Amino acid sequence: TGELIGNLAGHRSAIRGLAFIPDGSRLVSISSDQTVRVWDLESPETAIVLMGHLDSISGLAVVGDTGHIVTGAKDGTVSRWRLTPPADPDLSLRVPGIKNVATFSGPRGDMIAVTAGGAVVRGDWRKPDALQKLEVLGGDNGWPIEWCSAKGLLAIYSKEFDCIKVWSSDGKVAATSKRDSKSWPRFRAFIDDGSLFVEVDGEDQLMAWETKSWTRAGDVISRWQSILDAFKTEEGRRGKINGLRVSPDSRLLAIWTTKGRVLWYELTSGSLLAEEQCHTEYGLDFAFSPDGAMAASCSTDSHVVLWQTQPPQVDDVVREGGSMVAFSGLGDQFVTAGYQRRGLKVWDLATRRQVLSVDGGKSGFGDIGFLPDGSGIYGITKDGLEIWSAPSLAEMDETLREETSAK
């Protein structure tokens, strides 16, 4: 009849191409605004926006019924996009008794973890019965654990002995350092390529050690403590510190608070770079992407706030994303889990689209993350370590890696 059915609005510049998906349910459009939009024709008011090109997009092809499209831009780059999310994976392995994992890529490519009974174990996570005990710290403690791949060092806080114990990559104790605090450590990290180990306790007091000699680093303590002391002058407005993270290049310090605020500091100068009231509730978690270009914060409001870090500023908000977050090894995806809720979700960073979900963690998670080879995701629950194998996730990573190298 020639009757106009409707308009699809969203692109900010000229549209350069259109194509229908073979089943006719969706329409793909490309534009000079450097984005691809996938329109669901049954719900035309919303569209999936694919971002990644750095120039006007001028070419589009649908790859049969594979669920993929290929786009080309004026700068000569060609990218392949997956439009159909892979099937949700099933639980492939449970390792009982694991309370915290430091790494899945230890000295021999093995897992290093702490059990609920306070034992430090190492070995192939695929063979839980063959895990080697490095030491038993005793009691249901000792779980704050940090691994430094640059130096091959493992640091664990032992509540029973009130000390930091450090192992070298050969499994021998390299140092034992007493603490000056009886308060539980809220933050621990190796920084400056592993040359320093830093801890902030529950009273916001700082301790720092040079890892070469495991002696106190006075200049670092002075600089960091000035930041923490300055923060406290406005604690009533900001809320109390609930956590801290240092960027991969040790340049930025992010602090999140009990009132949902996130503050960014430049560590060398101690300058406050940014402060945002980006959450409506108690801040719970924070993560940097591996290259430090992006970050994510979470709270009990279940929203994931995505940040650009240079300079620090809010980039986007993923609503109902979760209250725990971790980035993949390539930094192209992130995984989230809800506060005291079961289930994990995997998101594509470029599109902010959920690409996987798994059912697990009946009473929530203590930690979440990706396996280092990209072949799956994991969560720490009351039952121990749970791993979901997802080969399709590794395939997606490979596709994105090919696109990156092509660019």
Side-chain angles (χ1 to χ4, degrees), residues 377-399:
I377 52 179
Y378 73 88
I380 302 293
T381 72
K382 288 184 177 180
D383 297 323
L385 169 66
E386 297 185 353
I387 294 175
W388 291 266
S389 179
S392 53
L393 203 59
E395 292 167 8
M396 201 181 332
D397 279 345
E398 186 64 31
T399 299

Side-chain angles (χ1 to χ4, degrees), residues 47-62:
I48 297 170
V49 182
L50 307 178
M51 298 177 289
H53 280 297
L54 302 178
D55 204 343
S56 173
I57 305 173
S58 54
L60 168 66
V62 177

Side-chain angles (χ1 to χ4, degrees), residues 145-341:
I145 178 172
E146 297 292 332
W147 165 251
C148 176
S149 58
K151 299 289 187 180
L153 294 174
L154 177 71
I156 297 180
Y157 164 60
S158 170
K159 182 179 179 181
E160 183 172 343
F161 302 108
D162 188 33
C163 68
I164 303 292
K165 301 200 76 171
V166 184
W167 280 268
S168 58
S169 58
D170 59 5
K172 297 180 180 179
V173 176
T176 300
S177 183
K178 293 293 290 183
R179 302 169 69 246
D180 298 330
S181 171
K182 297 294 183 181
S183 177
W184 188 262
R186 71 165 81 236
F187 167 79
R188 309 140 322 271
F190 287 96
I191 64 172
D192 291 341
D193 293 325
S195 62
L196 294 169
F197 182 76
V198 177
E199 177 189 304
V200 177
D201 71 6
E203 303 299 325
D204 298 333
Q205 296 301 305
L206 178 78
M207 287 163 278
W209 294 264
E210 296 180 3
T211 58
K212 185 176 182 180
S213 60
W214 284 96
T215 56
R216 294 299 177 91
D219 58 332
V220 176
I221 293 174
S222 176
R223 188 167 65 247
W224 278 53
Q225 196 64 55
S226 66
I227 294 175
L228 298 175
D229 291 343
F231 173 91
K232 281 193 169 184
T233 61
E234 297 191 60
E235 197 173 75
R237 175 178 65 86
R238 292 168 169 167
K240 293 184 177 182
I241 295 175
N242 197 43
L244 309 91
R245 286 286 187 277
V246 176
S247 62
D249 62 3
S250 301
R251 187 178 67 87
L252 299 173
L253 172 68
I255 296 176
W256 65 98
T257 78
T258 55
K259 290 188 176 181
R261 301 185 79 86
V262 176
L263 295 87
W264 293 82
Y265 292 89
E266 203 278 322
L267 273 176
T268 302
S269 65
S271 301
L272 177 63
L273 301 177
E275 179 176 351
E276 292 283 350
Q277 180 70 57
C278 52
H279 293 286
T280 59
E281 298 179 16
Y282 196 93
L284 282 179
D285 200 11
F286 192 97
F288 282 96
S289 63
D291 63 3
M294 296 291 293
S297 59
C298 302
S299 87
T300 51
D301 62 13
S302 294
H303 300 332
V304 179
V305 176
L306 298 172
W307 298 79
Q308 296 180 27
T309 63
Q310 301 175 0
Q313 57 184 320
V314 174
D315 182 71
D316 201 357
V317 179
V318 179
R319 302 192 181 279
E320 297 303 319
S323 51
M324 300 181 68
V325 63
F327 283 91
S328 65
L330 292 176
D332 56 322
Q333 298 167 341
F334 58 97
V335 59
T336 62
Y339 178 62
Q340 293 183 341
R341 301 177 190 171

Side-chain angles (χ1 to χ4, degrees), residues 83-133:
L83 301 185
T84 304
D88 294 342
D90 296 323
L91 179 66
S92 59
L93 181 66
R94 178 180 287 117
V95 185
I98 298 296
K99 190 169 183 179
N100 195 18
V101 173
T103 181
F104 283 96
S105 303
R108 298 188 294 270
D110 47 13
M111 176 184 74
I112 301 175
V114 174
T115 69
V120 183
V121 296
R122 186 174 75 179
D124 188 343
W125 57 268
R126 301 171 187 84
K127 302 175 182 178
D129 294 336
L131 293 176
Q132 171 195 1
K133 287 186 180 180

